[in-house]
Amino acid sequence: MFISDTWVLTLATFLPLVGAVIVMALPKAEEQAIKFVALGTSLLVAAIGVMLLIDFNYGAAGELQYVVDESWIDIINSRYIMGMDGISFPLILLTMLVVPLTIVYTFGHFPEPHNPKAFLSLMLILETGMIGTFVAQDLILFFVFFEVVLLPMYFMIGVWGGEDRKYASLKFFLYTLFGSALMLVSFVALYFLADGELAGVTTNTFDMRALPAAAGAIATTSQLWIFGGMFIGFGVKVPMFPFHTWLPDAHTQAPTQGSVILAAVLLKLGTYGFVRIAIPILPRAAAEWAPFIGLLAVIGIIYGALGCLAQTDMKRLIAFSSVAHMGFVMLGIATLTDFGINAAIFGMVAHGLITGMLFFIAGSTKDRFHTLDMSRLGGLLLQVPRMGWILGFSIMASLGLPGLAGFWGEFPAILASYNPAEILNENTFRVYMVIAAVGTVIAAGYLLWTLQKVAFGTVSEEFENDPNIYAITIYEWIAWIPMLVLIVVLGVYPNLLFDITDPAVTNSLSECLSLSGDAADACFDAGQALGN
Amino acid sequence: MSLATPMTEVPVEEHGAETGHALVTEMYQPTGFFLENVWIIPAVMAVSFLIILFFGKRFAKKGSEVGLAAIGISWVLAVITGIQWISQRGKVPEAEGSGEHAAGALLAAGEEATEGAEIGINAVVRTITWWSNGGIDFPVGTLVDGLTIMMLFVVTSISLLVHVYSTDYVAGDRRYTHFFAFLSLFTAAMLFFVVSENIIQMIVGWELVGVCSFVLIGHWWEDQENSDAALKAFLTNRVGDVGLLVGMIMLFWAAGTFETLDINRMINNGEIGHTTLLIASLSLLAAVMSKSGQFVLHTWLPDAMAGPTPVSALIHAATMVVAGVYMVARLYPVFYEGMSISGSSINALAVIGSITVVFGGLLAFVQDDIKKVLAYSTISQLGYMILALGVGAWTAAMFHLFTHAFFKAGLFLGAGSVSHSVHSFDMKKEMGGLRKFMPTTYKTFVVSSLALAGVFPLAGFWSKDEILVGTGGWGLFGGTGGNGAYTLMLVMGIVGAALTGAYMTRVIYLTFFGEFRGHGTPHESGKRITTPLIILAGMAAVAGLLNLPAGFITGSHDGWQERFGHYVEPTADYFPAISHGIPSYSLAIVSSLIAFAGIGYAYYYYFVKVAAQSPTATELSSGLTSTNKVAKAGHTLLKNKYYLDHLYTGIITGFTKGPLAKSTYWFNQNVIDRTVDNVGRGAVKGGQFIYDKVDQGFIDGAVNATGTASQGAGQELRLMQNGRVQRYATFLFVAATILAGIFTVIV
Amino acid sequence: MILNQFLLLAAILFCLGVYGALARRNAVLVLMSIELILNSVNINLVAFGAYHGNLSGEVFALFIIAVAAAEVGIGLAIVLLIYRNRRSIDLNQADLMKG
């Protein structure tokens, strides 16, 4: 290992914050310097990501690597613990990829009011929050980073957003904060109630590595309530039906860069929370809640798709499609099998790339046409052919075409639904499977309809001779090509991700989930072995 | 990588004893460079796609030369691979004829040599690991056996001819390069599909050809009709794909593997439950219905004619639409066992197929657009293939697939040649009397049509006849064998043959006879268009010889009969022991007579009566439909395509996109979001209430009250100060007295 | 000697003086009343001095006479000034410090 275990994750987390501080210290007029520092910082973080790619021990992807464990807030036994394993690694890489690309895109598309200093420093603070959430292994640390992402996004939407931005940003902030408050209650409850007999680990801890074993002793009813609190907290972020209504407004009003980061990474914080915290620590409660989660997931798939069909604004349509896609991810998670959760993580990464791409295109369309009203758009393939191509490609990826990344997010989730964990009722999940499969039809419907409206057809008179409709700029190319390539690569060779996530996911699932009925109860009562 | 070892012992199954087909006790493992590296063939086309996509415009012929070269190479490789397979197959002694018992000279350790055993030939399988999940590694790879070889040949041949044809037909098009790029991609996807080693690959290939179809149908997407047709095709296929996913997933979990061959073997050994297979096969049937244009999900096919004609020929006649048929053929044990094909007289597959045959044929009568006639004809012929599979006549279905590909492609390309000349597809308005202007097209078209109608001795006769024989329903006149007694299907099949002959005669009359009704001067098309037509017509004529029924000419079972079946039908442990029908002269004669009757009636109607009416007439002005109400109603029903489109587009899609989606969105905004907003507003109001009443009123009030109280007290006490010293002194004195009293008395 | 009679006399004079100091409106009469109070105290002191055979009582009384004289002098001067400024020595009218 040529990078030190102990500081690499801390560096990756806080380097963007340092960059943000430097940017804030620079005078507002020095735009070049600001851009340089911001891009440089994000590229440095990406370079750390590359180093991690090389240095990661793929054979031990199921174990936490680069672990840091320092004392932090002794009085509540909350420690500064960071670590990375196969579950968080892809998401961290996704973050490290998306932020520099967004910054590059920003260089060509600064939103009004023009304030690069504030905008870029907020983006960097966001990056800190996002990476921090994925590497944190202590519940309080996790909570801190989970909340850190709220404020920059609030400002990004509230200052640089569309017409209804105040409402949207406030709604986003308060809604997710509400969820997080309940989540915090759950965390605190875990702290106080999880004091099973552990060898060598102090009880009453926030340490996410020790809690799966410790939480086994909590009474079932309490477990259900605690899980419920976390469910609300993460569920609002995912977003799950019916807590999703903040998303369309936030996405529609946010500036392009905000939408991209929101879709690509921030939504994953919720699902990551389920995979990393809720299910490993409280498998018994997870098994009770799973059918309900699955139900909400498939409702989300159909509901999101139907909502898309009713839209005329392109960005709002893509926002609803996010609800539908995250429904597939949650369905995979609800099956409580390694098949399903692997599918979910792949789906997270794929959705991040694909929907991020769609939002980029929507933003570029808005910049050129100054409208996203699909009844007014048309003939994009004639006016900006390459952008029409990329839109077509992204749409094909979004509807789950095999050979592109989206397929491996949807298909294994549907596959897993047929045969969920033993402890769950398979008939329920088979019904969900059929509903999800029907959802793919509606998904194809709205996506191709969008393509037809925007890209096909002839150019409308309104925009026929508009000089503002320029070809793709160099910034856009640089921002988009890595994502497009990655969508193809992951689609053709999905093992790149599955190899990394599989061991970690298998480790995170309790053995008791593969038993059913009384055997499972006995297994849970006997307590879980440390580290599964 | 996994290669099956030669001479695998396979468990003996009981089925063979019942149906009379020989058992497979051992298998020979073929080898060969091309068999093992068949992945090169789709790879060549994929590389060609990328080259044309990114660099096509820079080439002299705008990328078409790249496509042509690639498909040429692929064709050659496919032929060589076929030759290798044939030579390998020759190493295994063949069973003597169909439905009879093989003596099997090379029997290994005796076991239960009930009715004679057979040496099978295994498929060539090559894999590498693709993805892993839950600790299991899933492979990707190729599977080559006789069926694969046949499909490779068909796909590459038709694609090659279409490539050549397109260089002339699509010349000057605004998206010429793009067209050739996607022709290459489609061919690559189709080839990938037919060499699939496991069912996930099949799903991948299935979807990819669907996307290519979408792109190519909507080739001229400036017009909304074309992009609508493309969307319709894709969405209808997606609906069927629900069935595909469900079926494949069920098979995976039941068998524990994605490998096609292993699943088949497990079913043959009875390791998978019947109910599972039934549900799986019904789900997969839904997928077949959409992809292979079976009734009820066929409505996209006629609309797909909006795409360029070479696309229609390649995709919607010869190759993509047969993907469903191929899938059934590849996973035949699923259907054979799941739908209990043997020993029945009716099952879902056969019913759907036979309905499609008749309904598609009927619809072909009322079309004015020549391509639409051919589209419905394709639907009808696909019905034949599914029908054949449904009655257990596997080889007949594959043979019909083979022959149909050639003559249908020939017909489509012929229609394209005609339209290239008259710039329209409307038979009634723009064509007529073209046999004088386009002799080559005319001749090839007629040959292909006769083949389609099943006229002896052209290819269609042999393949259709074999299907009819396979139904096993001709017990009356000596035709026996087969897997059941599917009399109804036999009847439908014969009716279909009559219809086919009739509507094709109509097309020929309207297009090539009478007087020219269009504009301009039509002329014969160039060499690059006519040469493929000639080749295809030639194949349509002679392809029948590949599968002459046993005992046909010489009464014996010599080696050169049933070549096709010999090489294509698997003799292996992964193929169920199906029975074969015994051909009968009487059936052949009766069916031919009925087909001729159809042709004859149409001939009479058009060539005699309509021609007598006027050289430019296209239909009888006082025909049946204008006099008979029932006929008119039937005609209207057909004209409206059984109102299915109205149902799908107007009602189902319209409902989903309109009221359903809008009401969902309304619910979202006005119920859920309003609740959220009301929570927000409620919180604000609550906050205001608390602020006003509790904070300001109560708590702050208490604070203020202290001030007011102090002030009030002060106001009162101030009155004591009246400025008079004596009053003060009085107080002093009184207080002093009291204090003195207290101190003296009490203290 | 009989102490009580002297004490009683002093008490009566004291009460008369207090009454006068508190209730009379004429400032001079108030001063006279105060003299009366002081003198009653004198009687008390002398009586006790004679009773105990101690001269301290008489000495004290001399002090009080001197202080009383001084006090009356100043008091009368103030009353004179009040009269000059306000034309009246009615104490009820001297209520400028009314709050």
Side-chain angles (χ1 to χ4, degrees):
Chain A
M1 303 257 195
F2 63 90
I3 31 178
S4 151
D5 268 0
T6 46
W7 52 257
V8 64
L9 288 179
T10 313
L11 187 66
T13 312
F14 290 106
L15 194 56
L17 192 61
V18 169
V21 168
I22 299 178
V23 166
M24 285 197 272
L26 291 170
K28 199 165 166 184
E30 294 283 329
E31 272 196 33
Q32 281 302 105
I34 293 175
K35 289 187 195 177
F36 179 74
V37 170
L39 184 62
T41 316
S42 62
L43 284 177
L44 269 177
V45 177
I48 298 182
V50 171
M51 286 205 295
L52 284 171
L53 259 178
I54 303 172
D55 195 71
F56 189 76
N57 184 356
Y58 290 98
E63 322 268 308
L64 275 179
Q65 300 182 26
Y66 309 109
V67 178
V68 180
D69 189 352
E70 301 293 326
S71 77
W72 185 36
I73 312 178
D74 280 329
I75 195 151
I76 52 173
N77 199 17
S78 164
R79 301 176 66 80
Y80 179 81
I81 314 178
M82 287 190 173
M84 184 173 84
D85 70 354
I87 295 178
S88 38
F89 193 30
L91 296 168
I92 296 173
L93 288 176
L94 178 69
T95 316
M96 289 178 175
L97 173 74
V98 168
V99 174
L101 294 182
T102 316
I103 294 184
V104 170
Y105 181 85
T106 314
F107 288 173
H109 290 270
F110 272 111
E112 291 302 316
H114 188 84
N115 191 348
K117 178 168 142 170
F119 199 72
L120 290 172
S121 56
L122 283 174
M123 233 190 263
L124 290 172
I125 300 176
L126 257 180
E127 190 172 11
T128 298
M130 298 190 291
I131 299 182
T133 319
F134 290 130
V135 300
Q137 296 294 323
D138 175 284
L139 287 179
I140 298 294
L141 193 63
F142 175 87
F143 182 77
V144 166
F145 284 118
F146 200 75
E147 300 304 309
V148 161
V149 301
L150 292 186
L151 265 179
M153 190 49 81
Y154 169 78
F155 283 118
M156 274 174 103
I157 301 178
V159 176
W160 287 278
E163 282 173 15
D164 229 351
R165 57 186 181 271
K166 298 270 195 292
Y167 167 72
S169 61
L170 198 61
K171 189 169 169 185
F172 157 76
F173 188 78
L174 290 178
Y175 212 147
T176 30
L177 197 61
F178 165 74
S180 311
L182 290 175
M183 181 181 82
L184 184 61
V185 170
S186 291
F187 286 173
V188 171
L190 274 178
Y191 174 78
F192 282 113
L193 293 178
D195 56 356
E197 297 270 319
L198 300 174
V201 182
T202 50
T203 59
N204 273 10
T205 173
F206 282 110
D207 187 342
M208 275 155 53
R209 303 167 299 176
L211 275 172
I218 305 181
T220 314
T221 332
S222 315
Q223 279 200 22
L224 288 176
W225 282 105
I226 298 177
F227 194 92
M230 288 198 275
F231 166 73
I232 306 254
F234 296 132
V236 173
K237 246 200 117 108
V238 169
M240 290 193 76
F241 177 90
F243 310 118
H244 63 283
T245 49
W246 61 269
L247 185 72
D249 290 316
H251 263 137
T252 319
Q253 301 301 325
T256 313
Q257 298 83 340
S259 292
V260 170
I261 295 185
L262 186 57
V265 187
L266 289 190
L267 298 185
K268 315 302 177 290
L269 298 180
T271 46
Y272 172 77
F274 273 110
V275 175
R276 170 65 83 198
I277 301 179
I279 293 177
I281 296 182
L282 298 171
R284 192 182 231 168
E288 299 287 329
W289 274 88
F292 181 63
I293 297 180
L295 177 66
L296 290 180
V298 292
I299 293 181
I301 295 175
I302 303 287
Y303 184 91
L306 287 177
C308 283
L309 285 173
Q311 301 305 322
T312 49
D313 179 307
M314 202 167 140
K315 237 175 159 185
R316 212 172 166 80
L317 188 145
I318 304 174
F320 270 99
S321 85
S322 280
V323 177
H325 278 114
M326 297 315 274
F328 276 104
V329 172
M330 286 314 295
L331 182 64
I333 293 179
T335 60
L336 299 181
T337 56
D338 41 26
F339 252 93
I341 300 191
N342 272 320
I345 300 179
F346 201 106
M348 288 186 223
V349 175
H351 172 264
L353 293 170
I354 297 172
T355 311
M357 216 34 244
L358 282 172
F359 274 116
F360 266 137
I361 296 174
S364 292
T365 311
K366 180 90 187 280
D367 274 340
R368 287 166 174 75
F369 292 85
H370 300 294
T371 177
L372 282 171
D373 186 348
M374 294 201 292
S375 56
R376 288 166 60 193
L377 294 171
L380 188 67
L381 270 171
L382 286 173
Q383 285 195 293
V384 194
R386 295 212 162 85
M387 201 155 100
W389 261 91
I390 296 179
L391 177 64
F393 176 85
S394 309
I395 286 210
M396 285 299 162
S398 189
L399 55 81
L401 187 72
L404 300 176
F407 176 70
W408 298 107
E410 290 182 3
F411 178 70
I414 302 181
L415 182 70
S417 295
Y418 187 82
N419 200 13
E422 280 302 321
I423 200 174
L424 299 171
N425 181 350
E426 58 180 30
N427 285 329
T428 320
F429 276 85
R430 282 178 188 171
V431 171
Y432 293 160
M433 173 186 82
V434 175
I435 301 177
V438 172
T440 61
V441 178
I442 314 182
Y446 68 72
L447 283 168
L448 289 178
W449 174 63
T450 310
L451 186 65
Q452 187 190 29
K453 272 219 119 59
V454 174
F456 291 161
T458 47
V459 183
S460 59
E461 287 156 18
E462 211 183 331
F463 298 111
E464 222 171 322
N465 294 315
D466 195 332
N468 205 29
I469 298 174
Y470 47 88
I472 303 187
T473 63
I474 183 75
Y475 294 122
E476 288 168 335
W477 276 126
I478 300 178
W480 295 350
I481 288 184
M483 289 172 83
L484 295 170
V485 167
L486 212 54
I487 293 176
V488 177
V489 166
L490 285 177
V492 170
Y493 193 52
N495 224 16
L496 283 176
L497 269 190
F498 282 132
D499 248 352
I500 307 177
T501 58
D502 198 28
V505 168
T506 317
N507 278 348
S508 78
L509 287 173
S510 158
E511 288 166 341
C512 305
L513 290 172
S514 39
L515 304 166
S516 67
D518 291 330
D521 281 335
C523 173
F524 280 125
D525 287 331
Q528 304 156 45
L530 269 173
N532 205 44
Chain B
M1 294 192 284
S2 62
L3 293 173
T5 51
M7 300 306 225
T8 333
E9 279 292 332
V10 291
V12 176
E13 51 166 294
E14 291 304 317
H15 260 118
E18 289 159 14
T19 55
H21 188 80
L23 307 165
V24 175
T25 49
E26 289 171 35
M27 295 217 291
Y28 166 72
Q29 177 60 47
T31 55
F33 174 78
F34 289 99
L35 293 172
E36 289 166 14
N37 289 304
V38 76
W39 59 269
I40 299 179
I41 303 182
V44 166
M45 296 311 297
V47 167
S48 151
F49 162 68
L50 288 170
I51 296 180
I52 303 178
L53 187 68
F54 288 116
F55 308 112
K57 296 227 171 77
R58 296 179 210 181
F59 286 91
K61 295 236 174 64
K62 304 239 170 198
S64 60
E65 61 270 69
V66 177
L68 266 171
I71 188 66
I73 298 175
S74 296
W75 186 81
V76 168
L77 287 174
V79 169
I80 300 179
T81 316
I83 295 174
Q84 254 196 355
W85 172 262
I86 292 175
S87 76
Q88 291 288 309
R89 182 76 176 92
K91 299 213 175 119
V92 175
E94 59 179 278
E96 294 174 11
S98 58
E100 308 243 334
H101 319 307
L106 284 179
L107 259 185
E111 300 208 31
E112 301 140 52
T114 45
E115 321 223 347
E118 206 173 328
I119 312 295
I121 179 165
N122 203 356
V124 180
V125 176
R126 301 261 299 185
T127 60
I128 57 171
T129 307
W130 194 13
W131 57 291
S132 58
N133 208 334
I136 316 173
D137 285 336
F138 297 104
V140 61
T142 62
L143 169 92
V144 181
D145 70 352
L147 178 61
T148 318
I149 301 294
M150 188 267 285
M151 290 301 297
L152 282 175
F153 181 71
V154 167
V155 174
T156 50
S157 309
I158 307 278
S159 188
L160 175 62
L161 293 172
V162 164
H163 269 80
V164 171
Y165 184 95
S166 304
T167 52
D168 191 343
Y169 190 85
V170 191
D173 187 87
R174 59 194 106 136
R175 273 186 289 281
Y176 188 76
T177 312
H178 177 275
F179 182 81
F180 274 92
F182 275 90
L183 269 188
S184 287
L185 182 65
F186 169 78
T187 314
M190 191 71 203
L191 290 168
F192 175 80
F193 177 71
V194 302
V195 302
S196 297
E197 186 263 344
N198 57 57
I199 55 182
I200 289 206
Q201 267 181 270
M202 287 179 83
I203 296 177
V204 173
W206 183 281
E207 301 270 348
L208 281 176
V209 295
V211 163
C212 293
S213 165
F214 170 79
V215 172
L216 286 167
I217 293 175
H219 181 74
W220 295 302
W221 41 255
E222 288 85 350
D223 293 316
Q224 179 140 13
E225 281 176 16
N226 300 332
S227 56
D228 276 344
L231 251 87
K232 184 173 176 180
F234 196 87
L235 287 176
T236 317
N237 276 304
R238 261 278 154 138
V239 172
D241 286 352
V242 173
L244 182 73
L245 286 177
V246 172
M248 294 298 193
I249 289 176
M250 285 183 77
L251 286 176
F252 168 72
W253 286 113
T257 172
F258 283 116
E259 315 271 317
T260 323
L261 293 186
D262 287 339
I263 295 176
N264 285 347
R265 288 191 182 113
M266 288 178 76
I267 299 176
N268 277 342
N269 290 336
E271 286 171 32
I272 302 186
H274 179 79
T275 326
T276 314
L277 287 176
L278 178 62
I279 302 179
S281 59
L282 287 174
S283 306
L284 291 174
L285 179 58
V288 172
M289 281 167 74
S290 71
K291 184 69 90 184
S292 293
Q294 300 298 301
F295 193 80
V296 169
L297 290 173
H298 65 279
T299 50
W300 64 272
L301 236 177
D303 285 18
M305 297 299 113
T309 311
V311 169
S312 306
L314 177 61
I315 299 186
H316 304 121
T319 46
M320 186 187 90
V321 291
V322 301
V325 178
Y326 172 81
M327 193 258 295
V328 175
R330 184 50 88 198
L331 285 171
Y332 202 53
V334 177
F335 295 88
Y336 196 73
E337 302 296 329
M339 296 195 177
S340 311
I341 289 183
S342 74
S344 314
S345 62
I346 198 160
N347 65 58
L349 206 57
V351 166
I352 298 278
S354 49
I355 294 180
T356 310
V357 167
V358 174
F359 277 32
L362 284 175
L363 281 170
F365 272 108
V366 298
Q367 304 303 321
D368 293 338
D369 181 322
I370 189 173
K371 278 177 76 176
K372 290 228 162 81
V373 175
L374 296 175
Y376 283 107
S377 169
T378 307
I379 292 176
S380 184
Q381 298 301 311
L382 289 167
Y384 267 110
M385 295 177 216
I386 297 291
L387 167 70
L389 287 170
V391 302
W394 193 92
T395 312
M398 293 301 104
F399 190 51
H400 197 62
L401 196 162
F402 184 76
T403 57
H404 172 265
F406 289 105
F407 54 70
K408 192 46 72 62
L411 286 171
F412 265 108
L413 295 183
S417 167
V418 166
S419 87
H420 198 56
S421 167
V422 302
H423 304 293
S424 162
F425 288 107
D426 190 324
M427 295 188 291
K428 290 201 168 166
K429 296 202 191 109
E430 305 281 344
M431 299 188 195
L434 288 175
R435 76 179 186 287
K436 295 185 280 266
F437 303 104
M438 311 178 69
T440 322
T441 308
Y442 165 65
K443 290 186 193 117
T444 55
F445 199 88
V446 170
V447 171
S448 300
S449 303
L450 291 176
L452 173 60
V455 172
F456 177 91
L458 302 174
F461 167 75
W462 302 103
S463 56
K464 214 175 276 190
D465 194 59
E466 202 176 329
I467 296 178
L468 296 174
V469 162
T471 60
W474 193 245
L476 307 164
F477 288 90
T480 48
N483 293 284
Y486 292 92
T487 320
L488 176 64
M489 282 76 218
L490 174 66
V491 170
M492 306 272 255
I494 296 181
V495 167
L499 290 174
T500 313
Y503 63 65
M504 285 318 292
T505 314
R506 171 177 180 263
V507 169
I508 293 179
Y509 179 76
L510 288 175
T511 311
F512 294 107
F513 285 84
E515 239 179 65
F516 182 56
R517 296 178 283 276
H519 317 106
T521 337
H523 53 86
E524 185 59 90
S525 310
K527 276 263 182 329
R528 279 174 289 164
I529 289 189
T530 52
T531 317
L533 290 177
I534 297 173
I535 297 177
L536 288 168
M539 280 300 290
V542 305
L545 294 172
L546 284 174
N547 206 34
L548 294 174
F552 169 67
I553 293 192
T554 61
S556 72
H557 307 291
D558 278 317
W560 60 274
Q561 294 170 75
E562 283 207 347
R563 288 297 85 202
F564 183 87
H566 175 63
Y567 290 119
V568 172
E569 181 171 326
T571 322
D573 61 346
Y574 59 83
F575 192 72
I578 60 177
S579 297
H580 300 91
I582 301 175
S584 96
Y585 281 111
S586 48
L587 177 59
I589 293 175
V590 171
S591 68
S592 291
L593 283 177
I594 298 185
F596 276 122
I599 298 178
Y601 181 74
Y603 186 89
Y604 173 67
Y605 184 90
Y606 280 98
F607 283 75
V608 174
K609 285 174 91 172
V610 172
Q613 190 170 297
S614 126
T616 54
T618 56
E619 57 187 14
L620 280 183
S621 45
S622 59
L624 198 60
T625 50
S626 47
T627 52
N628 188 326
K629 279 226 179 71
V630 174
K632 184 126 187 82
H635 191 256
T636 318
L637 180 69
L638 287 177
K639 266 278 191 214
N640 285 308
K641 301 173 261 179
Y642 307 111
Y643 295 103
L644 275 178
D645 263 336
H646 188 68
L647 174 67
Y648 293 155
T649 316
I651 299 183
I652 296 183
T653 315
F655 174 71
T656 310
K657 189 159 175 305
L660 185 61
K662 291 209 163 60
S663 59
T664 310
Y665 187 60
W666 179 90
F667 177 78
N668 191 57
Q669 294 304 106
N670 293 306
V671 177
I672 300 185
D673 218 19
R674 185 163 286 179
T675 315
V676 174
D677 282 350
N678 281 342
V679 167
R681 266 189 229 115
V684 169
K685 281 218 177 71
Q688 252 165 12
F689 173 80
I690 301 240
Y691 179 70
D692 285 339
K693 300 285 180 303
V694 178
D695 189 61
Q696 295 299 108
F698 190 66
I699 300 176
D700 217 26
V703 172
N704 288 342
T706 51
T708 321
S710 323
Q711 197 179 21
Q715 286 287 76
E716 296 304 312
L717 289 173
R718 149 151 100 79
L719 292 174
M720 285 207 311
Q721 194 104 345
N722 65 350
R724 293 200 222 148
V725 183
Q726 283 173 317
R727 177 75 74 79
Y728 304 158
T730 316
F731 284 138
L732 239 164
F733 183 70
V734 170
T737 313
I738 293 174
L739 276 173
I742 294 175
F743 281 126
T744 325
V745 174
I746 300 173
V747 179
Chain C
M1 82 182 169
I2 306 169
L3 197 56
N4 300 358
Q5 293 161 337
F6 290 106
L7 296 183
L8 195 61
L9 177 65
I12 292 169
L13 285 178
F14 186 82
C15 291
L16 287 173
V18 168
Y19 168 73
L22 297 184
R24 306 295 299 201
R25 294 208 318 219
N26 197 323
V28 175
L29 282 171
V30 166
L31 284 169
M32 282 163 59
S33 306
I34 293 175
E35 281 303 304
L36 206 54
I37 296 171
L38 288 167
N39 282 318
S40 74
V41 169
N42 279 346
I43 295 175
N44 237 358
L45 281 165
V46 170
F48 274 113
Y51 181 73
H52 289 295
N54 202 337
L55 269 180
S56 342
E58 291 179 7
V59 171
F60 218 136
L62 277 174
F63 268 103
I64 293 177
I65 290 169
V67 169
E71 175 235 320
V72 160
I74 297 175
L76 279 174
I78 292 175
V79 170
L80 211 67
L81 281 173
I82 291 176
Y83 179 73
R84 277 195 193 157
N85 278 308
R86 309 196 96 232
R87 282 275 147 209
S88 159
I89 51 170
D90 186 345
L91 279 179
N92 278 351
Q93 288 182 5
D95 61 357
L96 286 173
M97 288 293 277
K98 190 168 170 182

